[in-house]
Amino acid sequence: MAKKALSPEERSEKRMMVLTPIISVLLALVIGAIIIACLGKNPFEGYAAMIQGSLGDMSKISKTLERACPLIFTGLCAVFAYKCGVFNLGGEGQFIMGGCATAACTLGLGLDGPVGLAVGLLAGIAAGAIWGLLPGIMKITRGLNEMITTIMLNYVAMYFMEYIYKNAYSDNGLPKTIAIPQGARLPEIAGTHVGVILAIVLGILVWYVIFRTSFGFKIRAVGMNPIASRVNGFPVRRLVLLAFIISGAIAGMGGAVELLGKTPYRLASGFGSGFGFDGVAIALIAQLNPIAALVVALLFGILSTGGTMMQSVIGVPTAIVEIIRGLIIIFAVAGMAAVKLPQIKAFVAARLDAKEKKAEVNA
């Protein structure tokens, strides 16, 4: 069946939605440059150091990809849930539980080699799915707000992880777990673990499921209008629950990959910290497009890795990078909201009408 042609207004709005994140990044970099200049430093030298520190050679590229990897998983987690109209803010908790389940299975069962790796990954995926299932059940059965329940479960996951690394599998009483056995770790390719490849493949798969399958169509339909979806016979409650489960499984897989692929291969304080909310920001900047989420996560990885080099070269605090990242989020979200305003839509429509009339006169 042929695709319905977009109207000029729809094409213009789509174009503005695509340009908004790009303009947001440029504006954030410009303001960051002004701040750096106000500190008496050269912003061009600083940004050059950032690029050199994050993409200068293969080892630095590998480091950047490793930094972006967990953000890809939590970003995809948020994308999938939001596409179904549910606001999963529990990506961090699901990520942490994935890491906890992987550590418990691998260390508790004494697994090593490919079996340990496979069981660890599957345990992480299952734990994340279960942690996503809980707020899903509370939403569809009791109508509880998923934003509140997922945030609360983040704290439960954090304290459960504390028990894992301080008590259950502590390394000689130290506040960290025993290291994952060498054979159960993710192998490396070109200096980075294969979890990066898994994350990229998963992003493509999520895009395909959402935009090219009937299941994805139902998920998007529920996200756009659950009442109309129910009237048309879609199992809305089941789809919402599945969105929570799949979203949690993606984040849980990210936790497993982070533990099995990245030094020090242990659970400790700070594991997964901030990844969940960064994932939400990535999903919003990417406008809930999984492929765009890969790109935005890579950008965040570049900022994170390159910020250290920028600090050492021109002597500015790494907080500058956090300011730039925060500005990108603010500008992107504000820009996307502005594009949807009736006043903006009316202005665009008036410009299009004027162009059409001018074309008629010239003809």
Side-chain angles (χ1 to χ4, degrees):
M1 188 171 65
K3 268 189 173 182
K4 182 184 174 184
L6 296 175
S7 67
E9 291 84 358
E10 290 172 331
R11 284 199 301 272
S12 179
E13 182 178 333
K14 191 172 182 180
R15 196 180 302 119
M16 285 192 295
M17 292 294 283
V18 170
L19 288 173
T20 296
I22 299 171
I23 294 170
S24 301
V25 172
L26 294 175
L27 280 174
L29 290 174
V30 168
I31 294 176
I34 293 171
I35 295 172
I36 292 170
C38 290
L39 294 174
K41 309 296 180 180
N42 187 333
F44 298 104
E45 188 180 344
Y47 286 150
M50 178 186 288
I51 297 300
Q52 177 63 28
S54 57
L55 302 173
D57 54 44
M58 276 308 300
S59 65
K60 291 169 182 173
I61 292 172
S62 298
K63 187 77 172 175
T64 298
L65 290 173
E66 282 192 2
R67 289 282 182 91
C69 185
L71 300 178
I72 292 174
F73 283 106
T74 53
L76 293 175
C77 160
V79 166
F80 199 93
Y82 290 8
K83 273 295 181 184
C84 195
V86 293
F87 299 98
N88 180 10
L89 299 181
E92 186 168 313
Q94 292 145 18
F95 185 96
I96 288 171
M97 288 305 293
C100 289
T102 299
C105 286
T106 307
L107 301 176
L109 299 175
L111 300 175
D112 200 352
V115 173
L117 174 59
V119 170
L121 282 172
L122 290 174
I125 293 169
I130 292 169
W131 217 244
L133 171 68
L134 297 179
I137 291 174
M138 287 187 274
K139 181 176 178 64
I140 67 173
T141 58
R142 309 299 299 174
L144 298 181
N145 188 302
E146 70 273 18
M147 289 188 285
I148 296 172
T149 55
T150 51
I151 289 175
M152 290 173 67
L153 284 169
N154 285 345
Y155 289 100
V156 176
M158 184 177 65
Y159 288 118
F160 179 75
M161 179 179 69
E162 191 172 321
Y163 165 76
I164 293 289
Y165 70 72
K166 283 187 176 179
N167 298 281
Y169 302 104
S170 173
D171 185 3
N172 296 318
L174 297 173
K176 59 182 179 180
T177 62
I178 303 164
I180 298 295
Q182 181 71 40
R185 298 173 186 175
L186 286 168
E188 289 191 358
I189 296 177
T192 187
H193 61 75
V194 297
V196 172
I197 298 173
L198 289 176
I200 294 170
V201 170
L202 182 64
I204 297 169
L205 180 62
V206 169
W207 175 86
Y208 180 81
V209 168
I210 290 176
F211 294 105
R212 290 293 183 270
T213 67
S214 59
F215 173 69
F217 172 77
K218 291 175 183 177
I219 288 288
R220 288 184 288 124
V222 171
M224 288 187 284
N225 195 325
I227 296 173
S229 299
R230 188 177 290 110
V231 170
N232 281 279
F234 290 178
V236 173
R237 285 154 62 94
R238 189 188 310 161
L239 289 168
V240 167
L241 194 61
L242 280 172
F244 271 111
I245 292 170
I246 294 171
S247 175
I250 292 170
M253 183 179 180
V257 165
E258 185 76 357
L259 181 64
L260 296 172
K262 191 175 177 182
T263 306
Y265 307 100
R266 304 169 187 261
L267 285 183
S269 178
F271 179 86
S273 178
F275 290 154
F277 291 105
D278 280 350
V280 172
I282 287 166
L284 293 176
I285 294 169
Q287 299 177 42
L288 307 186
N289 185 301
I291 303 298
L294 298 178
V295 178
V296 178
L298 179 61
L299 172 64
F300 275 36
I302 290 170
L303 290 172
S304 178
T305 309
T308 306
M309 178 66 80
M310 184 169 70
Q311 180 189 32
S312 62
V313 171
I314 65 171
V316 295
T318 53
I320 295 293
V321 172
E322 298 301 320
I323 292 171
I324 293 171
R325 188 159 60 172
L327 288 171
I328 292 172
I329 296 168
I330 292 170
F331 289 145
V333 174
M336 286 183 284
V339 168
K340 297 289 185 182
L341 287 174
Q343 296 92 330
I344 300 295
K345 288 185 175 182
F347 175 75
V348 171
R351 289 289 301 272
L352 290 172
D353 287 342
K355 282 184 179 179
E356 287 178 4
K357 288 178 181 177
K358 187 176 180 180
E360 288 174 5
V361 169
N362 291 337

